[in-house]
Amino acid sequence: MLFIAVARFDIIELNLYVLSLLSGIGFAIGFVGGIVGLVLGVLRFPFILSSEVSIAATAGTNIGVSTMGAAIASIQHFRQKNVNTRIFLILGLTGATGAFLGSLFTRYMPIPILLIGISMIVLYEAYILLRSSKMATTEQNQIQKTTMNRMIWP
């Protein structure tokens, strides 16, 4: 058996199978997140929840893992000049402030409210992605039609 110390210095016992599974999931989510520019904590959350003792510990662990992954990926994105500095500073500072204040309220939130909130956010994100995908497909089809018309009728 392997042991992992968490932030409160509780010891959680994980067998080698669970540790390997979590490592593989963590790597895959981090890899995809680094490519697409998302920390993907929404995907990671259920796996952490299945191995943690409380919803608050899951939330804290997830935000910590997300922060670590985002910080490392950000270095490479900064090097590649993929970052709009003004937007980064505005959203980074306000987002960090909001995250800090929000973390203070985690212990006071009933578990069902937290889970409903997470579910609503995931559903909203799915809706936005599907809607933007539909708009992008329509736009791409219009470009293809215009290109074909120019090729046929020069």
Side-chain angles (χ1 to χ4, degrees), residues 34-57:
I35 292 172
V36 300
L38 300 169
V39 292
L40 300 176
V42 171
L43 298 177
R44 192 181 312 104
F45 193 89
F47 298 105
I48 297 172
L49 184 60
S50 69
S51 64
E52 282 290 341
V53 292
S54 73
I55 194 81

Side-chain angles (χ1 to χ4, degrees), residues 45-77:
F45 193 89
F47 298 105
I48 297 172
L49 184 60
S50 69
S51 64
E52 282 290 341
V53 292
S54 73
I55 194 81
T58 299
T61 302
N62 194 34
I63 201 85
V65 171
S66 295
T67 300
M68 183 182 293
I72 298 300
S74 293
I75 293 169
Q76 193 60 26
H77 282 288

Side-chain angles (χ1 to χ4, degrees), residues 117-134:
I118 292 166
S119 300
M120 289 173 59
I121 291 167
V122 171
L123 288 172
Y124 176 75
E125 288 177 339
Y127 168 74
I128 294 299
L129 283 173
L130 288 172
R131 191 179 75 174
S132 65
S133 171
K134 187 182 287 188

Side-chain angles (χ1 to χ4, degrees), residues 57-136:
T58 299
T61 302
N62 194 34
I63 201 85
V65 171
S66 295
T67 300
M68 183 182 293
I72 298 300
S74 293
I75 293 169
Q76 193 60 26
H77 282 288
F78 269 104
R79 287 180 179 164
Q80 295 174 4
K81 301 193 185 321
N82 294 338
V83 178
N84 180 312
T85 308
R86 183 171 33 166
I87 293 172
F88 169 77
L89 289 173
I90 292 168
L91 292 178
L93 293 172
T94 57
T97 304
F100 173 75
L101 294 174
S103 69
L104 297 175
F105 291 98
T106 302
R107 75 173 122 208
Y108 303 113
M109 294 296 292
I111 292 171
I113 299 296
L114 284 173
L115 294 176
I116 289 169
I118 292 166
S119 300
M120 289 173 59
I121 291 167
V122 171
L123 288 172
Y124 176 75
E125 288 177 339
Y127 168 74
I128 294 299
L129 283 173
L130 288 172
R131 191 179 75 174
S132 65
S133 171
K134 187 182 287 188
M135 289 183 343

